[in-house]
Amino acid sequence: ETSGKIGISDGLSKMLEKKFKGGLYKFQADSIKAINSASEKDSDSAVLISSRTGGGKTEAFLIPIIDYCLTHREHPGTKAIIFYPTKALANDQLSRIISMLYEINKAFINEGSPERITVGMSHGDLPKNKLSQEQIQKYWDGGVPIKCPKCDDGYLIALEPKLVKCLTCKEELDFVFLFQDPNFGALVDILITNPDKLIWDMMERPGHHGIFGREISCCNQC
């Protein structure tokens, strides 16, 4: 099916027509319609997507998430939290998500707009603080393999939580945030993490409740 028939915004639909020239699989189109319908309801509801390995499940749930972020970008706060059971799977999926957002955010850049759809990942294998040059090389060699969306050859690295760049082509991505200890002063639209990490943050760090767009007042000393 063509992306124009699944109820998503025109801007995203045009991007998808280029990326998926043969159209979406029927189960992907059905999944997107179901997720969009569920997100519009006041009551809690769930959509279960089942497909073979490598069958395209990521696009089936990611397209409506990105579309939601686009149509609600005037509202601050994290709009989607994606849980993965392993760090390796989270790293792999982040590469695919960055690839899609890279094309969308290029459209904002071409229009001269400062807007971006942002994505952040938080887990224990990511660095806590700014890295030295020796740490950068060590982190890159045995660390988090997140592919660059521009050259598709190099890997991205977080020199700082808000400074992510490719060590091969030197492309800097201002919409990607990689952190072990999150700074939710800059709220990402899509957060990739695991349940244990998020629960620990919510219990131990009340200031991080701002991830949901709430105004937080807490003591900086304790």
Side-chain angles (χ1 to χ4, degrees):
E1 294 191 25
T2 60
S3 60
K5 296 180 180 180
I6 55 178
I8 59 177
S9 58
D10 291 340
L12 182 56
S13 180
K14 291 177 182 177
M15 190 276 288
L16 293 176
E17 294 292 350
K18 295 179 181 179
K19 188 173 182 65
F20 302 99
K21 295 180 181 179
L24 299 169
Y25 293 122
K26 185 178 184 303
F27 93 88
Q28 291 175 324
D30 290 343
S31 299
I32 292 167
K33 292 175 186 176
I35 293 171
N36 284 339
S37 176
S39 67
E40 294 171 357
K41 296 178 181 178
D42 292 333
S43 59
D44 293 338
S45 55
V47 176
L48 175 64
I49 302 171
S50 178
S51 176
R52 62 176 175 80
T53 301
K57 293 186 294 294
T58 299
E59 289 74 18
F61 70 79
L62 184 59
I63 289 171
I65 285 176
I66 293 176
D67 189 50
Y68 185 87
C69 292
L70 283 168
T71 55
H72 293 79
R73 59 186 183 275
E74 72 276 11
H75 300 298
T78 295
K79 300 164 185 64
I81 301 174
I82 304 177
F83 290 135
Y84 288 109
T86 67
K87 298 169 186 175
L89 182 58
N91 298 337
D92 175 71
Q93 291 287 289
L94 179 60
S95 296
R96 297 174 67 179
I97 294 171
I98 289 174
S99 178
M100 291 189 69
L101 292 182
Y102 184 71
E103 297 300 323
I104 292 170
N105 287 323
K106 268 204 310 188
F108 285 129
I109 294 171
N110 293 338
E111 294 170 0
S113 171
E115 291 185 289
R116 303 286 187 272
I117 303 300
T118 56
V119 61
M121 185 168 70
S122 175
H123 62 57
D125 283 354
L126 293 166
K128 289 186 177 182
N129 304 304
K130 184 176 180 179
L131 302 177
S132 67
Q133 288 298 320
E134 291 183 1
Q135 290 172 320
I136 288 172
Q137 191 62 49
K138 181 179 179 181
Y139 166 56
W140 187 38
D141 289 342
V144 182
I146 303 171
K147 295 298 290 286
C148 173
K150 182 179 180 180
C151 67
D152 199 35
D153 184 45
Y155 290 93
L156 301 178
I157 188 168
L159 304 180
E160 298 177 31
K162 299 180 183 179
L163 177 58
V164 174
K165 68 185 297 184
C166 174
L167 290 182
T168 299
C169 70
K170 309 304 180 183
E171 175 82 350
E172 292 189 7
L173 303 179
D174 60 358
F175 64 92
V176 181
F177 296 77
L178 303 175
F179 38 69
Q180 182 176 146
D181 292 329
N183 173 10
F184 291 125
L187 299 175
V188 294
D189 294 302
I190 302 170
L191 175 64
I192 299 173
T193 186
N194 57 68
D196 290 339
K197 179 68 174 172
L198 185 64
I199 290 171
W200 187 86
D201 274 324
M202 294 297 101
M203 291 180 62
E204 298 293 328
R205 297 168 176 168
H208 289 183
H209 289 206
I211 185 177
F212 300 109
R214 303 171 183 159
E215 291 188 12
I216 302 297
S217 298
C218 62
C219 177
N220 289 327
Q221 299 301 316
C222 69

